[in-house]
Amino acid sequence: MSSSETQQQPNIPKGSYPKEETVNPSGTAGAPSASTAQEAEQPRETWNNLMERMLERGNMTRAYHRVMSNGGAAGIDGMALKSLKPYLDEHWTQIRQRLLQGTYQPAPVRRVEIPKPDGGVRKLGIPTVLDRLIQQALNQILTPIFDPTFSKYSYGFRPGRSAHQAVQQAKEYIAQGYRVVVDMDLAQFFDRVNHDILMARVARKVADKRVLKLIRRYLQAGVMDHGVILRTEEGTPQGGPLSPLLANIILDDLDKELEKRGHKFCRYADDSNIYVKSRRAGERVMASVTRFVEGRLKLKVNEAKSAVDRPWKRKFLGFSFTNGKQPKIRLAEKTVLRVKTKIKQLTQRSQSIAMEDRIEKLNLYLRGWMGYFRLADTPTPFQRFDEWLRRRLRMCRLKEWKRPATRRRKLVALHIPEHLARKISGSRKGCWRLACTPQMNTALGLRYWESQGLLSLAEMYQKYRNSI
């Protein structure tokens, strides 16, 4: 550990921890490795000291650094991340004692609603910083127990797995001839999880009653919405480090059922796709799996958003596919609309912002966006995005050059002949229309925006494709 990390970690008293040798005979610090599948298959009683494992110094320190690196807003107590270390220095001994005794009571989460791209809102529950730390420490202990037993076709929020792998698996199914998809959407999944069913699944592998009690208390901690604390009798609020693991635990029953039936499927969190060879088979699978989900797991299938259709007519994790015998991954139509909406927000003519700052914000967004959507096999959309984006920026430039004399002078300085510059400066057409004229394309073309530091999606995409 570096000296800077040593300075940042909280002063958790060493004497409050048992020696590591008595808890972890293998001698590794913190939680057991995620690869220890043999340990995960041991009898339930093996995990009777999970609370002590969770509270080991190494595990808590890793959890602290993870919470700090993740960032995030304060919970209902208003405590910011920077205040966590001094708070732990003063109160950790008492907090640890309550956890060991099974008397720790989590705080309610703070309700935050964020708009969904396709309408509606997604309800998040922001735990306090202290509860995020405890949840993260608990997650680090539970993941090596549960994760090795999860289906290999479950890709969401798991170590070493990603959305890209799920999309690649879907592509492979289509190439094998499974050209009908049962696209199943679970309605308000995180708000509808049945606590008793979930806790029964957790108790299959966890015998430590203090841990079981702590998890249930997190589920029932309540939600503060507009200053009012509401009871939570079902659901696992999105926003805490523990929620994704709990979601995978309860949906693992669905995975095992699909495997038992021999279905070709891939699941990312609550987004499940099952691939079959005919529409008739798809309708049959949709009906039977819906009965299983609603009957066994007490969840609700969103009939409006679920469908049996061709994969290239649906979207999966932001992507879709071409309809050839050898399918290619492409951007879904909604993804294209979403990125254009975001770019329009960043290139509004009405925004009074320097072009350098505008480009900096655009680059930040484009770099992150391309980091995910570079998986697409089709380069043409990225080239079209570049052309459209440069036109948006040319429109912004024209808006900046308000007076006709200024436009003519600027264009002449960019080596546009005087008579052609006058056609632009004297035109009564709008900025968006003028941004597509040959004069503006020449003056503010690709080289100009490269000199301004604008990133090219097509160039970033090509670099990625050349590296694989």
Side-chain angles (χ1 to χ4, degrees):
M1 183 180 295
S2 66
S3 60
S4 60
E5 288 179 328
T6 303
Q7 294 170 1
Q8 289 297 319
Q9 70 185 50
N11 184 22
I12 301 173
K14 294 183 179 180
S16 62
Y17 293 88
K19 291 184 179 179
E20 187 170 335
E21 289 80 0
T22 64
V23 179
N24 193 351
S26 62
T28 55
S33 167
S35 64
T36 56
Q38 295 85 354
E39 292 185 358
E41 293 170 357
Q42 290 180 10
R44 176 172 174 264
E45 288 73 21
T46 301
W47 306 108
N48 204 30
N49 63 341
L50 276 183
M51 187 61 75
E52 283 76 14
R53 286 173 174 261
M54 185 191 88
L55 293 172
E56 288 176 7
R57 184 178 183 83
N59 186 59
M60 293 303 303
T61 300
R62 287 193 297 116
Y64 173 81
H65 288 304
R66 182 62 180 269
V67 168
M68 296 300 290
S69 64
N70 286 345
I76 64 169
D77 60 357
M79 183 191 296
L81 282 170
K82 64 181 180 180
S83 302
L84 178 59
K85 179 180 179 295
Y87 182 84
L88 291 175
D89 289 341
E90 183 176 352
H91 299 286
W92 175 246
T93 301
Q94 297 92 325
I95 295 169
R96 180 181 180 276
Q97 192 63 30
R98 292 201 299 271
L99 288 165
L100 287 171
Q101 293 173 351
T103 60
Y104 178 81
Q105 182 61 51
V109 298
R110 180 169 62 87
R111 171 69 76 217
V112 175
E113 295 183 350
I114 59 174
K116 291 183 178 180
D118 52 354
V121 295
R122 176 175 287 111
K123 296 180 179 180
L124 301 182
I126 309 300
T128 64
V129 175
L130 175 61
D131 282 327
R132 293 212 293 271
L133 173 69
I134 296 172
Q135 284 194 36
Q136 179 62 38
L138 186 56
N139 180 66
Q140 291 169 182
I141 292 298
L142 293 179
T143 294
I145 298 172
F146 286 94
D147 189 80
T149 65
F150 288 156
S151 169
K152 67 178 181 178
Y153 302 109
S154 167
Y155 297 92
F157 309 109
R158 297 183 58 193
R161 292 178 173 269
S162 68
H164 282 185
Q165 293 173 339
V167 176
Q168 291 280 19
Q169 181 64 67
K171 175 184 174 182
E172 186 177 324
Y173 288 147
I174 299 169
Q176 292 171 0
Y178 297 87
R179 298 170 68 82
V180 173
V181 62
V182 180
D183 186 355
M184 182 167 289
D185 182 86
L186 300 180
Q188 298 177 321
F189 167 72
F190 284 93
D191 297 327
R192 292 179 179 269
V193 172
N194 183 287
H195 290 173
D196 291 335
I197 294 176
L198 173 58
M199 292 308 303
R201 272 44 172 188
V202 175
R204 290 172 181 174
K205 297 183 185 299
V206 174
D208 193 327
K209 292 183 179 180
R210 297 165 299 177
V211 171
L212 294 174
K213 186 183 294 185
L214 179 62
I215 294 174
R216 185 175 280 277
R217 282 179 173 171
Y218 272 120
L219 293 174
Q220 299 178 339
V223 176
M224 178 172 282
D225 192 2
H226 296 96
V228 179
I229 296 180
L230 308 175
R231 294 180 60 186
T232 49
E233 298 180 353
E234 62 178 2
T236 169
Q238 286 179 275
L242 199 56
S243 293
L245 175 62
L246 297 180
N248 277 331
I249 289 173
I250 195 166
L251 289 176
D252 187 55
D253 278 19
L254 172 61
D255 298 340
K256 294 299 192 291
E257 180 68 17
L258 295 177
E259 287 180 339
K260 186 174 72 174
R261 299 183 186 185
H263 287 313
K264 307 291 185 181
F265 75 97
C266 45
R267 180 178 65 80
Y268 190 94
D270 58 333
D271 200 345
S272 299
N273 276 10
I274 307 167
Y275 293 84
V276 295
K277 290 191 174 182
S278 70
R279 183 174 291 274
R280 184 177 179 182
E283 299 289 354
R284 186 173 63 250
V285 169
M286 174 68 84
S288 63
V289 174
T290 297
R291 286 195 299 270
F292 177 86
V293 168
E294 297 185 348
R296 181 78 65 84
L297 302 181
K298 306 302 180 186
L299 298 171
K300 180 68 176 175
V301 174
N302 188 333
E303 296 182 3
K305 293 186 177 180
S306 301
V308 177
D309 210 337
R310 296 294 188 180
W312 45 89
K313 294 182 179 180
R314 305 294 295 178
K315 72 176 181 71
F316 183 46
L317 302 177
F319 295 96
S320 190
F321 305 91
T322 60
N323 62 355
K325 289 186 177 180
Q326 293 300 320
K328 293 182 178 180
I329 300 171
R330 65 176 179 85
L331 301 180
E333 292 180 5
K334 286 187 177 180
T335 297
V336 174
L337 293 175
R338 197 175 303 164
V339 68
K340 283 195 169 186
T341 299
K342 180 62 177 181
I343 290 176
K344 283 181 179 179
Q345 292 174 357
L346 295 173
T347 56
Q348 289 179 352
R349 289 180 294 176
S350 58
Q351 283 185 337
S352 180
I353 180 174
M355 185 60 73
E356 294 78 7
D357 296 334
R358 195 187 298 272
I359 289 176
E360 184 178 351
K361 290 182 178 181
L362 278 167
N363 285 346
L364 184 64
Y365 173 73
L366 294 175
R367 192 179 286 110
W369 186 86
M370 178 55 74
Y372 180 73
F373 288 104
R374 64 186 184 180
L375 182 67
D377 296 320
T378 51
T380 303
F382 301 108
Q383 298 167 1
R384 291 174 178 167
F385 275 142
D386 279 345
E387 294 169 359
W388 179 79
L389 173 56
R390 289 195 292 268
R391 183 178 176 183
R392 295 284 306 178
L393 291 175
R394 287 196 293 269
M395 175 191 69
C396 293
R397 273 292 193 225
L398 282 169
K399 184 69 174 179
E400 291 175 0
W401 303 340
K402 296 180 180 180
R403 298 175 59 191
T406 303
R407 291 181 178 182
R408 176 171 50 81
R409 187 177 70 255
K410 293 288 187 180
L411 289 172
V412 170
L414 289 168
H415 309 294
I416 300 300
E418 178 82 18
H419 69 285
L420 295 178
R422 288 182 180 277
K423 288 185 177 181
I424 297 296
S425 63
S427 176
R428 300 181 64 181
K429 295 176 181 177
C431 293
W432 176 245
R433 182 77 177 272
L434 291 174
C436 200
T437 58
Q439 297 95 317
M440 293 301 298
N441 272 317
T442 301
L444 306 179
L446 175 60
R447 290 185 179 179
Y448 174 83
W449 294 114
E450 285 179 346
S451 70
Q452 300 296 304
L454 180 67
L455 293 177
S456 164
L457 287 174
E459 196 172 294
M460 285 191 287
Y461 174 80
Q462 198 58 50
K463 285 181 180 178
Y464 168 72
R465 303 300 289 192
N466 291 338
S467 67
I468 60 176

